[in-house]
Amino acid sequence: MARTVTTQRKLVTTVFAWAIGIAIFFPILWTILTSFKSEAVAIADPPVWFNFDWTLENYATVQERSNYFRHFMNSVIISVGSTVLGLIIAVPAAWSMAFVPSKRTKDILMWMLSTKMLPPVGVLVPIYLLFRNLGLLDTQVGLIIVLTLINLPIIVWMLYTYFKEIPGEILEAARMDGATLRSEIIHVLTPMAIPGMASTVLLNIILAWNEAFWTLNLTAAKSAPLTAFIASYSSPEGLFYAKLSAASTMAIAPILIMGWFSQKQLVRGLTFGAVK
Amino acid sequence: MATKHSRMSARLMISPAVLLLLGWMLIPLSMTLYFSFLRYNLLMPGMEEFTGLTNYRYFLTDPAFFAALWNTIALVLGVLAVTVVGGILLALLLDQPFFGQGIVRILVIAPFFVMPTVSALVWKNMFMNPVNGLFAHAAKALGLQPFDFLSSAPLASIIGIVSWQWLPFATLILLTALQSLDQEQLEASEMDGAPWIKRFWYIMLPHLARSITVVILIQTIFLLSVFAEILVTTNGGPGTASTNLTYLIYMQSLLQFDVGGGSAGGVVAIILANIVAIFLMRMIGKNLDA
């Protein structure tokens, strides 16, 4: 008896949860569907759901008219570049704080975190002027530098919480067996640290890909990543829903897929280890 | 086991990160502070002069400042209300056993990965547009007058868009917290005949309190700096109806080229953000000791 009640309840919950899940996902679904419509069908009233002539025309148009691929590559270069650079700076810092902690380790970590609390608009003017004078406005290098710096605290923090979970005894045992610092890092530490580093990389690429304050303010036509390129659709000409949808779908698809893989690590990274 | 040697190399390994962040903080901050005391407009080069607190006086007595301050608070509180309440309800729902849990979870967290300019433009055009948007189609089908969301209720519409982006974050964190709840405690209270609402109020909510605080604090930090969503939907308008502090300072510095005034605004924004930051730091700091 009890079992049937549970199954019944499970079915009700299933219907309810799916309805809400689809409702929340709907704007994304609608964007993907619209990207395969013609412009006329895209604004049809009543709306057309699935029964239309599917076309890839919009994707071709977006690429042709605005050289979409270049903006896509800007996004790739900027997000991957800032992540790699951030990792190079953060790994040694996190490693030493996790394995050779000192009295000041906690203060340093908290201070790094506090730099993240600085509202970007508070330093917009100086950064803009510095970039202008150094010729860094609208360059990939400039954006890589800024995004590395704004995400560095998150990278250090995430790596620190992961490294912290590697038992120190293993390192000591390796040292007893006569391992040098070098082989200790290569043969003992790296294999254990790879999962944590992978999720740090994933989260950081997502954050850099979607960053939309500095990318909008520091780029123009040449090195604009997708965030800034898509913003150009805010002053539209004629019918553009299907083209906007095609550009949007391509912009969010890679990160959506990465995001789904990193959902567990997301919590930890974004709460600085406060919720695991 | 830390030897003198390893402490030395530890310090060396930290220093690049520390020095870079120190530079990133100190250089622009001191420049902002310095500019805020100057009369400095990019359209009038060579006319810079020290003006004391004039920029602050202008910025803080500008009616646009009060509008922006109010809009900032309304935006933060509005989004927090929707995402925290919605997040708790969704987390409770997703924590129940049902078919396809993994897939529904993926659907629910998806909006968080959509870049701000895409989500704002999709909502603005394909949903909220008074002629071609889906909401307008729905209104017409029901025989109602289509509503022009971004002109008639710009701030509320932006709150809606931003809430959609942040609801997954709150849900995901609260769900993670809920799953760490001791199941035996819940089962025990269920056997004792405690009704659902009592179990929620006395067991689940206290357990979630910490995570709710974390959600509120972290979201506040990000929500104080909402920018792209305003830029691509309303440009802060009509008038100042949807201008927040971040957008006001952006307009003053990069559209009106008033470096001095924009910097004074920047200092004000930093002070406001710091008030929130102090509480957040204390929460996270406590966790480090544990």
Side-chain angles (χ1 to χ4, degrees), chain B residues 29 62 81 89 115 123 129-130 136 141 185 192 231 248 261 271 282 286 289:
Chain B
L29 264 188
D62 186 354
L89 294 176
M115 55 178 66
W123 277 101
N129 184 292
Q185 207 183 356
D192 289 345
L231 178 78
L248 180 70
I271 293 170
R282 225 174 261 171
K286 252 185 223 155
D289 296 327

Side-chain angles (χ1 to χ4, degrees), chain B residues 93-246:
Chain B
L93 176 68
L94 297 183
D95 196 36
Q96 308 291 316
F98 61 88
F99 300 105
Q101 251 175 333
I103 300 170
V104 171
R105 231 175 108 135
I106 279 176
L107 295 179
V108 168
I109 63 167
F112 190 73
F113 303 117
V114 177
M115 55 178 66
T117 42
V118 165
S119 62
L121 282 176
V122 164
W123 277 101
K124 174 193 180 183
N125 292 302
M126 290 157 61
F127 289 87
M128 293 175 170
N129 184 292
V131 180
N132 292 323
L134 274 190
F135 290 155
H137 293 334
K140 269 181 271 175
L142 296 170
L144 299 168
Q145 191 70 24
F147 186 71
D148 190 352
F149 288 89
L150 285 161
S151 314
S152 308
L155 193 62
S157 305
I158 291 173
I159 290 175
I161 297 173
V162 177
S163 297
W164 179 74
Q165 291 176 278
W166 282 95
L167 183 60
F169 175 78
T171 307
L172 196 58
I173 286 177
L174 296 175
L175 183 61
T176 310
L178 211 52
Q179 283 167 344
S180 71
L181 181 60
D182 187 6
Q183 288 302 315
E184 283 175 21
Q185 207 183 356
L186 274 183
E187 276 164 29
S189 67
E190 205 171 346
M191 282 198 224
D192 289 345
W196 187 87
I197 185 74
K198 279 203 163 165
R199 271 181 284 147
F200 173 72
W201 196 257
Y202 291 109
I203 299 177
M204 292 182 194
L205 211 53
H207 177 79
L208 286 180
R210 235 185 78 86
S211 316
I212 293 174
T213 318
V214 171
V215 168
I216 290 176
L217 291 170
I218 290 176
Q219 284 199 23
T220 305
I221 297 287
F222 284 96
L223 295 175
L224 284 172
S225 298
V226 166
F227 172 74
E229 292 86 342
I230 296 174
L231 178 78
V232 300
T233 52
T234 63
N235 273 313
T240 53
S242 58
T243 301
N244 68 353
L245 266 183
T246 301

Side-chain angles (χ1 to χ4, degrees), chain A residues 73-96:
Chain A
M73 279 320 287
N74 282 338
S75 274
V76 171
I77 290 167
I78 291 163
S79 53
V80 173
S82 69
T83 302
V84 170
L85 191 59
L87 215 56
I88 292 172
I89 302 164
V91 167
W95 190 87
S96 69

